[in-house]
Amino acid sequence: MNWSDFQYEIYLNGLSGAVPRLPTDLTRLEELAAARLGPGPVGYVAGSAGDGSTARANRAALDRHRIVPRMLRDVRERDLSTELLGRPLPAPVALAPVGVLSILHPDAEPAAARAAAARGIPYILSSASSTPMEEVARAMGGGERWFQLYWPRDVEVARSFLGRAKAAGYTALVVTLDTPLLSWRPRDLDQAYLPFLHGVGTANYFTDPAFRAGLAKPVEEDPNAAVMHFVGMFADPGKTWPDLAFLREHWDGPIVLKGVLHPDDARAAADAGMDGVVVSNHGGRQVAGAIAAADALPAVSDAVADRLTVLFDSGVRTGADIAKALALGASGVLVGRPYAYGLALDGQAGVDHVLRCLLAELDLTLALSGHAGPATLTRADLAEARA
């Protein structure tokens, strides 16, 4: 079976009058989620830094690259499978780390993790999850899981997080570099909305023995003090490249640095013994006016693809976007906001719907462009639209 068979499942269900619970055009999900959620939660997920120019640039860059289909190529037998970071996967796609998912749906991270595991897609758990990492691991059974680290100031908490993640079966470490400070985010500021101050998105910290050892009273007795302790250690703007040695010392699996946009930073990651980079501007959430991630991708790929696994996120909304990112030099693509909106609208089933739509569209986009799998995509398969 091909991923694209999902479309025939939908059509056959239509014979009995059934239609999908959510739109198959995933670009519509944000508007639907906004109508269901309060302004604080939807602004936190959908909002961007400053005036939103970087988020718009992400979309414009992907839209500017146009696929050039090729004809009379045998695409009867198709295979999206690949290998990323030494792990065989059914498709070059993973669910990006998105924190505080309980503000979107009460089933939160476990629901997203179960949906990913059911389709064989890696789930990347955020440090800032609403659910402890061990509970998420149990929810997804043997599913492929990676752990995303917001590198805290407290070295003991960092060491503890890495040990817990390894013990819980997370196979790769994804270290976010682009958030040593929270950016200027007007949608959150206008609502005075920061979920961490309400103890949401702090589950990994509040259950951590090293974190709790730094408290005068247990979290349960003085939650406000625990929140302020979290705020004081959440990220460290003083980290530099030599500090990566700590991660390599305490993590024996693949390490991927997320938030790389300059080829020199990608080369530095390779020189430091890292295993991969994610070309990402945090979905436009950190630096207003930054380069679009898709515009940064080719130069990073050219610089290090022979040394590192190059992944991509920021602005991805469709299967066609995934195909473009692969053609521009990514080996795999992380999808964030679309599955968050799917979760908000229909829990685990909503995340599953998003995954099936993305992978069906990717399968069809490749086939109709003359590719039986992602490995044959190159930049020659794209043309840049004229302004």
Side-chain angles (χ1 to χ4, degrees):
M1 293 181 64
N2 294 311
W3 291 102
S4 58
D5 291 340
F6 182 41
Q7 70 171 334
Y8 297 111
E9 179 183 322
I10 292 173
Y11 288 135
L12 289 172
N13 288 339
L15 295 176
S16 61
V19 298
R21 288 166 57 89
L22 297 180
T24 55
D25 174 2
L26 301 182
T27 64
R28 294 177 54 199
L29 297 184
E30 179 178 343
E31 182 179 359
L32 294 175
R36 178 170 298 187
L37 299 170
V42 74
Y44 186 81
V45 176
S48 303
D51 65 354
S53 62
T54 303
R56 292 192 298 273
N58 285 335
R59 286 302 315 152
L62 286 165
D63 286 342
R64 192 172 64 251
H65 291 289
R66 313 303 297 175
I67 298 168
V68 183
R70 301 298 302 276
M71 300 296 111
L72 294 176
R73 293 180 171 183
D74 185 354
V75 294
R76 289 173 297 176
E77 301 294 330
R78 301 190 301 282
D79 184 3
L80 298 189
S81 66
T82 190
E83 182 178 297
L84 293 178
L85 302 172
R87 313 292 290 188
L89 301 176
V93 174
L95 292 190
V98 179
V100 296
L101 289 182
S102 64
I103 67 174
L104 302 180
H105 192 278
D107 292 342
E109 291 82 10
R114 286 192 297 266
R119 299 295 169 188
I121 299 301
Y123 177 70
I124 309 175
L125 179 71
S126 172
S127 287
S129 68
S130 316
T131 312
M133 63 182 85
E134 294 85 357
E135 185 176 333
V136 176
R138 287 192 295 271
M140 63 186 309
E144 183 70 21
R145 49 190 176 268
W146 305 346
F147 181 70
Q148 177 268 341
L149 179 70
Y150 282 119
W151 200 344
R153 293 174 187 261
D154 189 315
V155 67
E156 294 305 320
V157 172
R159 184 180 290 114
S160 181
F161 270 27
L162 298 181
R164 289 172 62 194
K166 179 59 69 173
Y170 294 84
T171 60
L173 179 66
V174 179
V175 185
T176 296
L177 301 183
D178 59 18
T179 315
L181 300 166
L182 287 181
S183 68
W184 187 256
R185 299 177 183 174
R187 289 185 69 169
D188 295 339
L189 291 164
D190 289 350
Q191 298 293 324
Y193 184 79
L194 188 63
F196 307 114
L197 297 184
H198 302 277
V200 180
T202 58
N204 284 317
Y205 299 84
F206 286 6
T207 57
D208 190 80
F211 179 91
R212 294 173 70 95
L215 299 174
K217 296 181 179 179
V219 173
E220 299 75 15
E221 293 183 15
D222 194 347
N224 290 334
V227 165
M228 296 316 296
H229 188 51
F230 161 82
V231 170
M233 74 162 60
F234 173 70
D236 184 359
K239 291 286 193 300
T240 60
W241 291 99
D243 292 311
L244 292 173
F246 170 87
L247 299 177
R248 181 49 74 197
E249 180 183 354
H250 292 91
W251 185 267
D252 59 6
I255 301 176
V256 178
L257 303 184
K258 184 174 183 288
V260 172
L261 295 167
H262 195 289
D264 286 349
D265 287 344
R267 293 186 186 97
D271 292 343
M274 301 295 101
D275 300 279
V277 293
V278 184
V279 178
S280 167
N281 57 31
H282 216 106
R285 288 170 60 77
Q286 278 302 99
V287 179
I291 184 174
D295 286 338
L297 176 58
V300 171
S301 178
D302 288 345
V304 298
D306 60 337
R307 303 170 66 190
L308 299 176
T309 297
V310 177
L311 305 176
F312 173 83
D313 77 21
S314 298
V316 175
R317 298 292 182 271
T318 69
D321 291 338
I322 295 170
K324 292 176 184 181
L326 297 171
L328 289 169
S331 295
V333 176
L334 313 186
V335 178
R337 284 184 175 106
Y339 91 78
Y341 299 139
L343 176 71
L345 292 165
D346 202 16
Q348 179 178 337
V351 179
D352 185 62
H353 175 82
V354 167
L355 276 172
R356 298 189 76 187
C357 288
L358 285 170
L359 293 169
E361 186 182 8
L362 173 61
D363 184 10
L364 288 166
T365 300
L366 292 180
L368 293 169
S369 302
H371 300 276
T376 56
L377 283 168
T378 70
R379 276 172 236 170
D381 296 301
L382 301 177
E384 191 159 339
R386 296 179 180 177

